[in-house]
Amino acid sequence: MLIAMSRRGAAGARLAVVAALALAGCSDAEIAPGPGPSAPSPEPRTTLHPDAGAADAEGRQDVALGEAATILDDEGEPVGTVTLLEVDREFECDGEFAEPPANDGFIGLRFEVTTPASEEYASDLAFGETYLSGYDTAGEFLADEYGTGYLCAEDAIGPFYPAGETETGWIVLDASDELAAVATESDRRHDLYWQWRLDD
């Protein structure tokens, strides 16, 4: 009985030595690096709704770059969102039918427009350069300060959008250098407007 235990002990000792040698060999080997840290997840986009309490005396509610602004129809129902992604005050026209600016130059506004799914062919959302009003730094309306720049960009968007889709592209304004903000109707029932300050 003692001999049997000794043999088992010897076998166990041999296994321990083999395991120790294997571990020692691994310590000198190159260890493959594991996967690096994953990229941070993008922050969720804020979706804003028209709010009379957040509007100024003129009924304009500020919305920041990257915030999705909800557009409501006459019944107060959402027909989509518009998000200003980028402002280019030195936009260069690349359209086939581009013409020189009538004002100080072109200002490119890159928007993302999203419409909800619908059984109808198109949504009620209409949005483009003719739906934007311009203002100077004092908030004064700039009458006829910008014209249509729709033919200025090859990837222009608007003014009408199919239901259940997201479109991203440029709305180009032929504008005065005084243009500091643009606004569009946000709630046709309550006469509120979204306003983007272009130099923020």
Side-chain angles (χ1 to χ4, degrees):
M1 194 72 173
L2 288 173
I3 294 173
M5 289 180 64
S6 298
R7 286 179 180 168
R8 287 190 190 125
R14 282 195 298 272
L15 287 174
V17 170
V18 171
L21 289 173
L23 289 173
C26 288
S27 64
D28 293 333
E30 291 185 7
I31 299 174
S38 59
S41 300
E43 293 184 6
R45 178 172 292 168
T46 301
T47 301
L48 300 180
H49 294 272
D51 181 1
D56 63 15
E58 304 300 324
R60 298 192 296 262
Q61 181 180 345
D62 284 341
V63 55
L65 199 75
E67 290 182 326
T70 303
I71 306 294
L72 304 180
D73 64 12
D74 293 331
E75 304 301 321
E77 295 297 323
V79 292
T81 62
V82 293
T83 306
L84 180 59
L85 303 175
E86 181 182 354
V87 177
D88 185 351
R89 280 194 169 271
E90 297 181 358
F91 190 89
E92 295 184 7
C93 287
D94 58 5
E96 181 180 355
F97 303 103
E99 296 181 356
N103 294 297
D104 293 323
F106 293 113
I107 296 179
L109 306 174
R110 191 165 68 91
F111 277 96
E112 177 185 274
V113 180
T114 300
T115 56
S118 171
E119 294 180 0
E120 298 178 4
Y121 174 72
S123 74
D124 294 325
L125 179 58
F127 181 69
E129 68 279 350
T130 57
Y131 291 82
L132 292 170
S133 301
Y135 301 89
D136 62 16
T137 55
E140 295 296 323
F141 175 67
L142 298 174
D144 301 323
E145 282 293 328
Y146 61 91
T148 175
Y150 186 83
L151 300 178
C152 189
E154 291 288 354
D155 57 344
I157 59 171
F160 304 107
Y161 303 86
E165 293 189 10
T166 296
E167 294 188 22
T168 301
W170 293 95
I171 292 176
V172 183
L173 304 180
D174 183 347
S176 161
D177 288 340
E178 294 181 76
L179 185 66
V182 293
T184 194
E185 194 173 60
S186 65
D187 187 338
R188 287 171 286 203
R189 183 178 61 177
H190 298 297
D191 200 26
L192 296 174
Y193 298 84
W194 291 117
Q195 176 172 258
W196 293 272
R197 298 185 186 275
L198 304 184
D199 296 320
D200 284 355

